[in-house]
Amino acid sequence: MPETKYGSRIYLGVLAEADAAGPTAVRVYQDFLGRLRRAAPGVKELRLELEEPAPRKETPGVYECWATLKAVVPHDLTRDGAGNHRDAWRAILRDTFQATCQLNHELVHHTSSRVEITREVFPFEEEAPAEAAPVEETPKEMIRVKVLLGGQVYDVEIPKDENLLDGVNAKGVDVKWDCKSGVCDTCQIRVLKGMENLSPVNDREREMLGDKINQGYRLCCQVTAHGPCEFEH
């Protein structure tokens, strides 16, 4: 089945104080992603990248929370009233986001929140930028990470103080992820050893994982590794 990758810019206005704007946006976007997956189960590689909230100058008490959503949409996607898969995806995005905002009405500034644009993502836009000339650097201290994944055990070394997800993925350990923003649980892991060597649990992890935090669960994309550790995925 032919597929097309689309990128969408989404604007969410949240009603919150400065220190609560980020967690509030994460909560609403988590709800949106869950509803979107249920509304369009055939759509693949849903990835949401959040930007830092900023105060809306013309509306005190409202914080602007932009996000970019990327997804691979099959050409057989349908929606009542839509003539093609692109229009169907746009309608599903719009309707699902509106429904999410309505159900979270106490958190959302309705008059400004919207799906602003959805367009095709071309291959050249996904290409990595050309590498700059190498610069001599001081060798990084490496730490050992043991990963239990799909019935296999991987023993790798990653740079100290590296993002745990990026570090193990760079060594060929395929820990799955969708957002890298802490608004989904695709990269959920359970830490078996070395929790004391990892960065503290943050608000996005608490919002996403709840009581599972007490059982050693973390979001791999939100963890910085300061020392050796072991986890399963």
Side-chain angles (χ1 to χ4, degrees):
M1 170 59 60
E3 301 171 323
T4 299
K5 189 168 190 176
Y6 288 100
S8 304
R9 287 289 286 167
I10 302 173
Y11 175 87
L12 174 67
V14 297
L15 305 171
E17 299 295 331
D19 58 349
T24 301
V26 167
R27 176 179 169 183
V28 176
Y29 276 124
Q30 284 173 348
D31 190 18
F32 170 57
L33 273 183
R35 294 176 186 281
L36 195 56
R37 288 192 173 98
R38 293 191 292 273
V43 173
K44 301 186 301 184
E45 299 181 26
L46 277 169
R47 293 187 175 177
L48 189 68
E49 301 168 0
L50 270 64
E51 298 174 15
E52 288 297 320
R56 183 182 171 102
K57 295 179 181 178
E58 61 271 30
T59 314
V62 175
Y63 277 76
E64 302 178 336
C65 304
W66 285 95
T68 299
L69 176 72
K70 292 182 181 179
V72 175
V73 179
H75 288 191
D76 63 353
L77 184 71
T78 60
R79 183 78 164 188
D80 290 345
N84 53 56
H85 73 278
R86 180 189 60 194
D87 291 343
W89 178 234
R90 286 174 170 167
I92 290 170
L93 276 177
R94 181 191 65 242
D95 294 347
T96 305
F97 189 65
Q98 288 178 351
T100 302
C101 290
Q102 290 169 359
L103 290 165
N104 291 276
H105 61 88
E106 74 282 4
L107 305 175
V108 175
H109 186 253
H110 291 277
T111 58
S112 60
S113 299
R114 63 197 181 275
V115 178
E116 187 160 279
I117 187 171
T118 296
R119 66 172 183 83
E120 183 176 351
V121 177
F122 296 99
F124 71 85
E125 296 179 86
E126 300 287 281
E127 293 176 358
E131 293 186 7
V135 177
E136 189 172 336
E137 295 181 355
T138 303
K140 294 182 179 179
E141 181 181 349
M142 305 298 284
I143 59 173
R144 188 169 296 279
V145 177
K146 188 175 182 179
V147 186
L148 284 64
L149 174 66
Q152 292 185 279
V153 179
Y154 299 86
D155 204 342
V156 298
E157 288 189 337
I158 69 171
K160 183 180 179 181
D161 302 327
E162 178 97 335
N163 176 273
L164 187 56
L165 177 63
D166 291 341
V168 297
N169 277 349
K171 291 302 178 78
V173 183
D174 190 22
V175 174
K176 301 296 184 184
W177 61 275
D178 279 331
C179 71
K180 284 191 177 181
S181 300
V183 297
C184 76
D185 63 357
T186 304
C187 69
Q188 178 182 180
I189 61 172
R190 186 165 73 92
V191 179
L192 304 176
K193 294 181 182 178
M195 182 70 83
E196 69 278 6
N197 294 328
L198 306 179
S199 55
V201 176
N202 64 26
D203 290 339
R204 294 185 180 186
E205 291 180 280
R206 290 190 183 90
E207 183 72 33
M208 192 73 239
L209 299 174
D211 291 340
K212 294 177 74 174
I213 291 289
N214 300 326
Q215 301 169 36
Y217 285 89
R218 301 290 303 269
L219 296 180
C220 198
C221 72
Q222 299 296 297
V223 176
T224 300
H226 304 300
C229 63
E230 179 179 336
F231 68 85
E232 64 179 4
H233 177 61

